[in-house]
Amino acid sequence: MQRLVSEKDFLISPYGGRLINLLVSEEEREELKDYSAYLKSIQIPNRFVCDLEMLAVGAFSPLDRFMGKEDYTRVVEEMRLKNGTLFPIPVILPVKKEFVKEIKEGEWITLRDPYNVPLAIMRVEEVFERDPEKEAKEVLGTLDPVHPLVPDLFLCGEYCISGELKVIQLPKYYDYPEYRLTPEETRKRLIALGYKNVVAFQTRNPMHRVHMELTKRAREKINGALLLTPAVGETKKDDLDVSLRMRIYKVLYEKYYEKDRTLLVFLPLAMRMAGPREALWHGIIRRNYGANYFIVGRDHAGPGKDSNGKPFYGPYQAQEMFEKYSEEIGVTMIPFEEMVYVPELGQYVEKTEAEKNGYKYFVISGTQVREEYIKKQRLLPEWFTVPEVAQILLSAYKPKHMQGFCVWLTGLPCSGKSTIAKVLKVMLEARGRKVTLLDGDVIRTHLSEGLGFSKEDRIKNILRVGFVAAEIVKHDGVVICALVSPYRMAREEVRSMMEEGKFIEVYVNAPIEVCEVRDVKGFYKKAREGLIKGFTGVDDPYEPPERPEIELRTDKLSPEESAKIILEYLESQGFLI
């Protein structure tokens, strides 16, 4: 019989033996806030804000800082910290080389969020160069820019910094603070439930009846408590909006789970979509929250298919890796078996069991949920999901012809991008869509002021335009971007900022000889004479798209013909009616 946990008893110990806590005391907080204002500072993107919070509260125990060079190198190569402790994912703080030139060893700096709020101060004890190619190959197993993390690895910074952290404050959340518990708070709640065994469940997607069935069965299997820990930090850009997902988790927890055996905790976890390695990492994190069992699904933390249409990871790779290291991390895996609904029984059973007994069964894939139900405004059946979740999902989507999209025109200077963009804008407005055009003059005046023509500045320009475009698309607007954007990885990073299918890359392809003839300003001539440095196509490379949605040969097509081809593609994708 299950032995209840007394006040003197313990859940599984944190990974490494103790929970790290980097938050300063109340007395020190105000003093450090004032002090931080006088230090050099750096704004860190949301992914690293998530990592900082997870470090601060001990979710990444035994880490007490962003990794230094020895930890980073060994984790990438061997999945171990320098002291031999198993740890499969690098947790680093990348910075640009320009910032490295400004700081000195031993100097304290302030880490600020994207809104310039000071979160922590760091003593710079290490500065080291990172190897994004090796990191991508070893940790993700791929260099394919379709993987959502690959472009970011190459663009987030050439160097890393590490050192002592003093966290002044955690990010402030105004949505569902009651479910944003630290590992320490979670452990106290679990002890209060009275169960020593705890099974954790990870998800970044909406939960349906099959997930409820699976989690409840797992809870019964261990005769313990269930810890629902959805990741609500940075995930895939085309995942369902986090606010909607949190509404779903909340309604399921409050209405369909027993509170005396279940706890819901939102994790500010920035996912890497690293498949097998990430599954193992997730197990370590859940141990820090108090779980000694962890549900691992098929293709756990997988990003989908690569540029050749094949899955990045095998369906059971994550489970195999977790099983291999389960004893070492102290967390037992409960595999997520594929389950199907059998109407004859009125319940979910494992697919193998249904097939063995010859039962007729129903199943709806994630793709079917999006394409056949939500996007067509059809209510999901009750055997698949609860009515509240079906309504939330239905409210999340507008018809395709009311959704936003981005047409990204890329090509050599004078290939015809701007002219096509202007024609396309008029054609789209004639079809009832309001259009924002981000072209040369607009970009230079409002977004690119102060940037030069170095590779770093050009990448920064592409990402700035991409950010603005992604915000327009997120709010169902239409945006046309016409800029050379010569670097493939930067364009892929922009693609990853938007939902799948909403970034339409158009390769405006014209031979360089044709572009030179069209160049009335004489830039090509000046570049060949050495009067202009770093000119794309002459002494700076242009990396053409490998798999653009559309390719236009503008030496053979007029701007109007080119714009009509784009229009036809948009019609075929349902963006126009």
Side-chain angles (χ1 to χ4, degrees):
M1 183 175 177
Q2 172 73 47
R3 181 169 61 88
L4 296 183
V5 180
S6 70
E7 290 184 9
K8 295 183 179 179
D9 208 345
F10 295 93
L11 302 167
I12 187 172
S13 63
Y15 193 55
R18 69 183 182 93
L19 272 181
I20 300 297
N21 180 4
L22 303 179
L23 282 162
V24 299
S25 65
E26 289 288 343
E27 299 76 30
E28 198 177 2
R29 182 164 295 127
E30 289 307 315
E31 181 183 336
L32 286 185
K33 267 189 181 180
D34 292 339
Y35 177 55
S36 70
Y38 295 95
L39 301 175
K40 292 172 187 170
S41 67
I42 183 171
Q43 285 180 275
I44 59 177
N46 280 327
R47 179 158 76 88
F48 301 103
V49 171
C50 291
D51 284 356
L52 177 62
E53 181 173 0
M54 295 289 274
L55 281 168
V57 299
F60 289 164
S61 297
L63 297 186
D64 66 353
R65 64 192 61 203
F66 291 103
M67 289 177 181
K69 185 175 182 179
E70 288 185 69
D71 279 332
Y72 167 73
T73 302
R74 196 167 180 200
V75 166
V76 168
E77 294 176 352
E78 305 175 49
M79 299 201 309
R80 294 189 181 276
L81 300 173
K82 63 183 179 182
N83 65 5
T85 302
L86 185 72
F87 206 93
I89 298 291
V91 178
I92 55 175
L93 184 58
V95 293
K96 298 291 186 181
K97 62 183 178 183
E98 292 85 356
F99 185 72
V100 168
K101 294 175 184 176
E102 298 177 8
I103 55 176
K104 299 175 183 177
E105 187 177 332
E107 182 178 5
W108 285 94
I109 63 170
T110 302
L111 305 184
R112 300 177 180 272
D113 72 9
Y115 300 99
N116 215 32
V117 176
L119 299 177
I121 62 171
M122 171 195 279
R123 177 159 48 199
V124 181
E125 298 171 15
E126 279 190 76
V127 179
F128 62 94
E129 197 167 357
R130 54 188 287 269
D131 186 344
E133 183 171 326
K134 184 173 184 179
E135 187 177 335
K137 283 181 179 178
E138 297 290 342
V139 179
L140 306 177
T142 183
L143 290 173
D144 192 332
V146 170
H147 189 292
L149 193 64
V150 166
D152 187 54
L153 288 184
F154 281 86
L155 299 173
C156 63
E158 306 89 338
Y159 291 84
C160 293
I161 55 175
S162 176
E164 180 185 356
L165 281 169
K166 292 187 177 184
V167 179
I168 302 168
Q169 58 187 334
L170 297 177
K172 183 73 174 175
Y173 299 107
Y174 301 97
D175 51 349
Y176 311 112
E178 67 272 27
Y179 296 121
R180 294 181 180 273
L181 306 179
T182 67
E184 183 180 2
E185 292 167 336
T186 302
R187 285 171 164 271
K188 288 178 180 177
R189 299 275 189 94
L190 288 172
I191 289 174
L193 291 183
Y195 293 92
K196 182 165 184 150
N197 286 332
V198 178
V199 58
F201 178 65
Q202 143 81 27
T203 183
R204 69 177 212 278
N205 292 312
M207 289 177 64
H208 300 294
R209 288 192 186 273
V210 66
H211 305 102
M212 293 167 59
E213 181 69 21
L214 173 81
T215 52
K216 290 179 179 181
R217 286 190 185 192
R219 183 181 62 189
E220 295 307 314
K221 185 175 182 177
I222 67 162
N223 190 22
L226 170 64
L227 180 60
L228 299 172
T229 52
V232 299
E234 290 283 298
T235 61
K236 283 182 69 181
K237 290 295 188 285
D238 61 347
D239 283 345
L240 187 69
D241 184 76
V242 64
S243 61
L244 289 166
R245 287 189 283 117
M246 288 193 289
R247 283 172 58 196
I248 289 171
Y249 305 139
K250 180 179 186 291
V251 74
L252 290 179
Y253 173 67
E254 293 184 350
K255 189 168 182 178
Y256 294 96
Y257 281 96
E258 300 87 344
K259 306 304 175 298
D260 60 345
R261 295 190 64 184
T262 311
L263 185 62
L264 172 64
V265 179
F266 292 159
L267 267 60
L269 176 63
M271 293 190 62
R272 273 58 167 179
M273 311 308 299
R277 279 198 183 211
E278 183 146 357
L280 200 57
W281 189 47
H282 286 174
I284 290 170
I285 292 167
R286 270 48 179 216
R287 172 172 172 170
N288 286 325
Y289 277 84
N292 55 335
Y293 289 86
F294 185 55
I295 299 169
V296 181
R298 296 171 75 252
D299 194 27
H300 187 105
K305 295 180 179 179
D306 63 19
S307 56
N308 296 314
K310 296 180 180 179
F312 277 100
Y313 311 113
Y316 298 105
Q317 268 186 272
Q319 293 179 354
E320 290 166 0
M321 179 173 281
F322 202 102
E323 188 67 35
K324 180 179 179 180
Y325 294 103
S326 174
E327 186 174 346
E328 186 170 356
I329 67 170
V331 180
T332 302
M333 177 180 72
I334 296 183
F336 187 136
E337 301 292 345
E338 187 175 2
M339 300 183 74
V340 295
Y341 182 75
V342 177
E344 183 179 339
L345 303 176
Q347 65 184 40
Y348 279 89
V349 302
E350 291 181 10
K351 185 178 179 180
T352 52
E353 180 186 339
E355 291 177 341
K356 178 181 176 182
N357 291 288
Y359 290 129
K360 179 182 178 182
Y361 61 81
F362 297 156
V363 64
I364 299 177
S365 70
T367 300
Q368 287 176 306
V369 169
R370 290 190 303 273
E371 302 299 329
E372 297 181 20
Y373 286 89
I374 306 304
K375 291 184 178 180
K376 294 182 179 179
Q377 295 291 285
R378 293 172 57 202
L379 203 64
L380 285 159
E382 281 207 35
W383 65 262
F384 180 78
T385 198
V386 300
E388 295 90 342
V389 171
Q391 287 294 344
I392 291 172
L393 288 174
L394 208 60
S395 69
Y397 287 90
K398 292 181 179 179
K400 191 75 174 280
H401 68 275
M402 296 176 67
Q403 295 177 27
F405 60 87
C406 168
V407 176
W408 189 279
L409 298 154
T410 175
L412 287 169
C414 304
S415 57
K417 300 179 297 298
S418 296
T419 307
I420 294 169
K422 290 170 184 173
V423 174
L424 179 63
K425 180 177 186 290
V426 174
M427 289 182 171
L428 286 171
E429 288 174 338
R431 299 287 292 269
R433 301 303 303 253
K434 292 184 178 179
V435 181
T436 299
L437 175 58
L438 297 178
D439 197 6
D441 289 338
V442 172
I443 294 167
R444 281 188 292 272
T445 302
H446 299 289
L447 293 176
S448 303
E449 187 176 3
L451 294 182
F453 293 94
S454 66
K455 182 173 182 178
E456 292 76 14
D457 278 2
R458 290 182 182 194
I459 289 173
K460 192 178 292 185
N461 179 49
I462 294 166
L463 298 184
R464 283 183 184 179
V465 176
F467 171 79
V468 173
E471 289 297 304
I472 292 170
V473 171
K474 185 194 300 183
H475 297 286
D476 297 314
V478 175
V479 58
I480 303 171
C481 302
L483 63 162
V484 175
S485 47
Y487 307 118
R488 188 177 300 123
M489 204 64 79
R491 295 193 303 267
E492 288 301 323
E493 176 72 359
V494 174
R495 182 187 292 274
S496 73
M497 295 177 184
M498 305 180 203
E499 287 183 39
E500 186 176 354
K502 293 191 174 183
F503 178 85
I504 297 124
E505 187 176 38
V506 180
Y507 177 24
V508 183
N509 185 1
I512 194 166
E513 301 80 22
V514 173
C515 295
E516 290 195 55
V517 171
R518 294 173 177 169
D519 180 18
V520 295
K521 295 181 180 179
F523 289 131
Y524 279 97
K525 185 175 184 295
K526 290 177 182 177
R528 295 199 185 282
E529 293 173 352
L531 301 175
I532 298 175
K533 299 294 184 183
F535 189 78
T536 302
V538 178
D539 58 347
D540 194 69
Y542 175 78
E543 299 171 358
E546 293 180 337
R547 289 167 295 276
E549 278 70 20
I550 302 169
E551 180 173 351
L552 302 172
R553 285 297 303 264
T554 56
D555 55 329
K556 300 177 180 178
L557 295 167
S558 70
E560 185 178 356
E561 290 170 328
S562 296
K564 283 182 178 178
I565 290 171
I566 300 172
L567 214 64
E568 289 168 3
Y569 176 85
L570 294 170
E571 288 175 342
S572 72
Q573 299 301 303
F575 285 117
L576 299 174
I577 56 172

